[in-house]
Amino acid sequence: GQSLEQPSEVTAVEGAIVQINCTYQTSGFYGLSWYQQHDGGAPTFLSYNALDGLEEKGRFSSFLSRSKGYSYLLLKELQMKDSASYLCAVITGSYIPTFGRGTSLIVHP
Amino acid sequence: GAVVSQHPSRVICKSGTSVKIECRSLDFQATTMFWYRQFPKQSLMLMATSNEGSKATYEQGVEKDKFLINHASLTLSTLTVTSAHPEDSSFYICSARDIRSDTEAFFGQGTRLTVV
């Protein structure tokens, strides 16, 4: 089977840097995606990692270690609008994403 | 990015009636569409995978006769909740995968279903 673990909630201050972790166990692993979801809204794609290492995209970076079954999403220069739920999803052999429970990020002024 | 349109965004229906939710890919062709259900503060639970022109593949525990999925074209998939009950009240979200990409799925806006 598959399992994904994310912290349920993370809080940070505006302007700071925050890291959201995701650990997973799965077979047939292809890659891992991160999505952002605001309350009542649809998830929006942030990043995809298939290989080990760090992928940087503006204020958002995503890291993957396949051997450790570990990924993190790094958000820099936090803004109030970054308050949302962040979902990691593993992509397996059928290219079907399986989502974690999501981490609620709360950004304080 | 690619656009997926889901309609309606909110629907309230009476117990025992059926509700149809549409999911359209507006600017790309989607051979595969996914239907998810999400409870408050919970993850997206995959209900079924629909492939254009063939029967949907349902996840374990999802009643195929209750949640009818039709993927009639490369741009449209529908989910019909039949004989709805209050416990079917939830947030339903579709996503579509562009045939040109295996890694990114694009989501519809979601449908908030309330059964009274």
Side-chain angles (χ1 to χ4, degrees), chain A residues 34-38 41-47 87, chain B residues 104-107:
Chain A
W34 284 94
Y35 287 81
Q36 180 192 61
Q37 185 180 25
H38 284 98
T44 54
F45 175 81
L46 293 176
S47 66
L87 306 160
Chain B
E104 184 172 349
F106 301 95
F107 285 84

Side-chain angles (χ1 to χ4, degrees), chain B:
Chain B
V3 178
V4 174
S5 175
Q6 185 174 341
H7 177 81
S9 58
R10 290 179 180 274
V11 59
I12 301 173
C13 71
K14 291 184 178 180
S15 287
T17 61
S18 295
V19 173
K20 180 185 281 189
I21 303 169
E22 289 189 350
C23 181
R24 292 181 185 272
S25 57
L26 296 186
D27 53 359
F28 66 100
Q29 293 183 325
T31 52
T32 305
M33 289 189 176
F34 306 102
W35 287 96
Y36 294 88
R37 183 173 179 176
Q38 187 176 35
F39 292 103
K41 305 293 185 185
Q42 298 294 312
S43 181
L44 297 164
M45 285 176 40
L46 181 65
M47 299 174 66
T49 302
S50 77
N51 295 296
E52 185 264 337
S54 63
K55 289 184 179 179
T57 303
Y58 289 81
E59 295 299 301
Q60 196 171 9
V62 178
E63 299 174 57
K64 60 179 69 175
D65 294 330
K66 179 165 186 61
F67 298 99
L68 299 178
I69 290 172
N70 182 273
H71 194 154
S73 75
L74 283 171
T75 59
L76 174 64
S77 176
T78 61
L79 167 67
T80 302
V81 182
T82 62
S83 187
H85 290 283
E87 56 265 32
D88 297 326
S89 298
S90 189
F91 191 54
Y92 294 87
I93 310 178
C94 70
S95 77
R97 197 165 66 210
D98 191 331
I99 58 175
R100 296 165 295 181
S101 168
D102 287 327
T103 59
E104 184 172 349
F106 301 95
F107 285 84
Q109 303 94 318
T111 298
R112 173 73 60 193
L113 171 64
T114 304
V115 184
V116 296

Side-chain angles (χ1 to χ4, degrees), chain A residues 8 16 38 42 58 93 106:
Chain A
S8 59
H38 284 98
I106 301 170

Side-chain angles (χ1 to χ4, degrees), chain A residues 78-89:
Chain A
L78 278 176
Q79 301 174 9
M80 297 297 290
K81 67 177 183 179
D82 296 329
S83 293
S85 183
Y86 291 84
L87 306 160
C88 65

